[in-house]
């Protein structure tokens, strides 16, 4: 397509200058075929092509009528019908036309009704990344909705593992004040291990055990049948649009109190679009129909066997946690809860840590390395005592005197060995012998002896006589010795 100015220039060069199409094309840098095409046109507006008749035209009304009466007919079936009436065109033409005129089928769903306490629906939601300490983790949230009242429970996590899935259920039960008779779930692996056409779904045995403990049945939705749990699907969307959208998320720890306040002041006190009543108001009616919670909570822990490293550490999600040093290299049982970590050896608790969701961190209990430090210090003291005894045969006698004096013999031995590093073995051995002879007990005496022996006395200088003559002529009176006789 060329612009109107180029079209006018082509006409001018041809009519006024008398140039041929090839000459015009060379001057305007156009293809000669383009110039010839536009020379044949009277105006810049191109001619509209006339629609070509189709062999299908006489049968289009028949196809539309059949589709209105029988929407499930395929293009192949429709092609066979019109071939019986004389159509001799191709199947592809029929298929394109059917695709264009077939009315779109929209799925129809029944409105599900639930009695008070009959059912709840659960699902996971995800929403970007969030900072946890110095790490970035994917943000998830667990949602449970009571089907009758639409009372909502939301809990944020950075993991969708089994212990978090079960903890979300348990915390929701406590928030609702009871357990519904049935819970509808999606086909996530925490609830459904596998599904085969025509067979009952295979439930996760851990989730089934949890359900039996709290007395509810599990109702998995059909594959790709999200409409069956539309209440919780709407709840997930409502959390994203009303709570998370436009909210600054500074740190993961700020989410729990914020969502509790939002549930109490917004989500559960709004006028629900379907019931036209507040969920918290209907929940008060539904609460008596919920099953009571058992006296003791279910053990939510994920249990696995781990081996402590030579640095007496176990690893969970890239974080390292300490155990007592004596368990280095040993197999332990680790029970991981959403908020804590417990380690057992032979059914005895040996370590407990708060669970961290940061990355690549090391957590050590100050009591765990004490045994190793004590053992190493004892070995070092034994080596030190051996070096002390090697100084002199009389070193053992000197050590006995140190113990008799009831002073810290280990400290005294350490200081005497240090003196040997400075003054040498022979000098310290001689000092010990002298200290024994002088009955001087203690490293301070040994150090004093070594210092005295090492001190050099100044050499005597030459005698200088005075040169003053008057001083040489001084006479001294003889002393009177009779005083002694008296």
């Amino acid at each position: 397509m060329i612009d109107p100015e180029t079209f006018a220039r082509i006409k001018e060069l041809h009519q006024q200058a008398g140039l041929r199409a090839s000459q015009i094309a060379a001057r305007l840098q156009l293809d000669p075929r383009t110039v010839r095409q536009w020379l044949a046109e009277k105006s810049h507006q191109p001619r509209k092509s006339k629609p070509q008749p189709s062999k299908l035209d006489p049968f289009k009304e028949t196809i539309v009528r059949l589709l209105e009466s029988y929407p499930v007919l395929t293009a192949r079936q429709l092609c066979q019908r019109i071939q019986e009436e004389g159509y001799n065109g191709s199947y592809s033409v029929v298929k394109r036309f059917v695709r264009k005129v077939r009315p779109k089928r929209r799925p129809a769903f029944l409105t599900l009704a639930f009695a008070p306490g009959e059912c709840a629906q659960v699902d996971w939601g995800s929403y970007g990344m969030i900072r946890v300490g110095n790490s970035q983790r994917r943000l998830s949230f667990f949602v449970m909705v009571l089907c009758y009242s639409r009372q909502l429970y939301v809990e944020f996590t950075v993991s969708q593992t089994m212990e978090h899935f079960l903890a979300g259920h348990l915390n929701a039960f406590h928030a609702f004040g009871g357990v519904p008779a049935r819970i509808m779930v999606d086909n996530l692996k925490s609830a459904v291990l596998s599904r085969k056409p025509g067979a009952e779904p295979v439930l996760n045995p851990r989730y089934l055990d949890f359900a039996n403990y709290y007395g509810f049945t599990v109702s998995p939705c059909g594959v790709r049948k999200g409409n069956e749990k539309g209440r919780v699907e709407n709840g997930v969307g409502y959390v994203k649009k009303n709570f998370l959208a436009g909210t600054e998320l500074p740190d993961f720890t700020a989410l729990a109190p914020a969502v509790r306040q939002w549930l109490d002041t917004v989500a559960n006190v709004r006028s629900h679009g379907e019931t036209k009543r507040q969920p918290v108001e209907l929940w008060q009616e539904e609460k008596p129909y919920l099953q009571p919670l058992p006296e003791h909570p279910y053990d939510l822990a994920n249990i696995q066997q781990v081996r402590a490293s030579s640095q007496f550490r176990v690893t969970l999600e890239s974080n390292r946690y300490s155990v007592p040093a004596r368990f280095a290299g040993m197999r332990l049982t680790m029970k991981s809860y959403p908020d804590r970590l417990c380690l057992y050896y032979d059914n005895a608790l040996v370590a407990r840590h708060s669970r961290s969701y940061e990355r690549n961190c090391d957590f050590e209990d100050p009591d765990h390395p004490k045994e190793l430090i004590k053992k190493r210090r004892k070995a070092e003291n034994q080596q030190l005592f051996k070096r002390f005894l090697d100084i002199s045969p009389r070193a053992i006698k000197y050590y006995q005197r140190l113990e008799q004096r009831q002073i810290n013999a280990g400290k005294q031995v350490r200081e005497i060995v240090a003196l040997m590093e400075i003054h040498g073995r022979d000098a310290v051995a001689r000092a010990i012998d002298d200290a024994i002879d002088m009955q001087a007990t203690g490293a301070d005496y040994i150090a004093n002896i070594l210092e005295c022996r090492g001190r050099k006395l100044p050499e005597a200088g030459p005698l200088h006589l005075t040169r003053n003559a008057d001083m040489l002529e001084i006479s001294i009176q003889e002393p009177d010795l009779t005083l002694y006789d008296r």
Side-chain angles (χ1 to χ4, degrees), residues 45-327:
Q45 298 297 329
R47 290 173 296 181
K48 294 183 180 180
S49 59
K50 296 181 180 179
Q52 296 293 326
S54 171
K55 294 180 179 180
L56 187 63
D57 289 344
F59 306 96
K60 288 182 177 179
E61 292 184 4
T62 303
I63 292 175
V64 172
R65 186 176 67 254
L66 289 172
L67 283 174
E68 290 177 352
S69 302
Y70 309 100
V72 296
L73 288 175
T74 64
R76 178 68 66 183
Q77 291 173 318
L78 292 167
C79 184
Q80 293 172 355
R81 293 284 185 92
I82 61 178
Q83 283 175 349
E84 294 174 357
E85 297 181 9
Y87 174 69
N88 60 357
S90 66
Y91 163 69
S92 59
V93 174
V94 178
K95 185 169 66 174
R96 286 194 298 269
F97 179 72
V98 169
R99 187 182 298 120
K100 186 184 301 183
V101 300
R102 182 190 294 277
K104 292 184 179 180
R105 291 177 290 178
R106 297 186 180 275
F109 304 113
L110 294 174
T111 301
L112 301 179
F114 299 92
E118 176 189 354
C119 185
Q121 298 178 357
V122 299
D123 202 2
W124 283 108
S126 299
Y127 196 82
M129 307 293 290
I130 193 167
R131 184 167 60 86
V132 182
N134 296 321
S135 305
Q136 291 288 328
R137 298 292 302 268
R138 185 174 299 278
L139 180 62
S140 300
F141 56 96
F142 173 89
V143 180
M144 181 181 286
V145 181
L146 292 176
C147 295
Y148 174 77
S149 62
R150 270 73 166 189
Q151 182 78 354
L152 186 66
Y153 175 79
V154 181
E155 180 176 322
F156 283 93
T157 74
V158 290
S159 178
Q160 295 186 10
T161 55
M162 176 60 81
E163 62 266 30
H164 292 87
F165 185 60
L166 299 183
H169 282 70
L170 182 54
N171 295 333
F173 295 159
H174 284 284
F176 294 151
V179 183
R182 182 164 60 99
I183 291 183
M184 298 179 67
V185 296
D186 207 344
N187 291 281
L188 65 165
K189 290 298 181 183
S190 298
V192 181
L193 294 182
S194 63
R195 299 193 68 140
K196 293 182 179 179
E200 290 292 326
V202 179
L203 298 180
N204 189 310
R206 185 77 189 287
Y207 187 51
L208 185 60
D209 184 59
F210 177 83
N212 292 334
Y213 185 84
Y214 283 99
F216 67 87
T217 59
V218 181
S219 296
C221 296
V223 179
R224 293 185 293 275
K225 298 291 184 180
N227 60 288
E228 295 182 2
K229 56 180 183 64
R231 284 167 171 76
V232 75
E233 293 280 354
N234 293 336
V236 170
Y238 181 63
V239 173
K240 290 181 178 180
K241 295 175 183 177
N242 192 284
F243 177 71
L244 290 172
T247 303
E248 294 185 5
L249 306 176
D251 190 84
F252 178 72
T253 56
L255 281 176
V259 75
R260 282 196 297 268
Q261 182 182 8
W262 176 76
L263 288 170
D264 294 337
T265 60
V266 178
N268 289 326
V269 297
R270 77 193 191 279
S271 178
H272 196 275
E274 292 291 331
T275 64
K276 308 303 180 184
R277 295 177 64 185
Q278 293 180 335
V280 68
E281 180 184 347
L282 286 173
W283 170 58
Q284 294 298 332
E285 299 178 6
E286 184 175 20
K287 193 174 179 180
Y289 296 92
L290 298 174
Q291 303 174 74
L293 288 162
E295 182 179 358
H296 301 287
Y298 185 84
D299 189 355
L300 306 173
N302 180 39
I303 303 174
Q304 56 183 313
Q305 298 296 317
V306 295
R307 185 180 294 277
S309 67
S310 57
Q311 289 80 31
F312 48 96
R313 297 290 195 276
V314 296
T315 302
L316 178 66
E317 295 180 342
S318 80
N319 291 323
R320 299 175 299 278
Y321 301 88
S322 68
V323 296
R326 66 180 181 276
F327 296 107

Side-chain angles (χ1 to χ4, degrees), residues 328-340:
M330 300 178 68
R331 292 189 67 83
L332 304 172
T333 300
M334 180 170 65
K335 298 179 70 174
S336 52
Y337 296 86
D339 61 339
R340 65 190 186 278

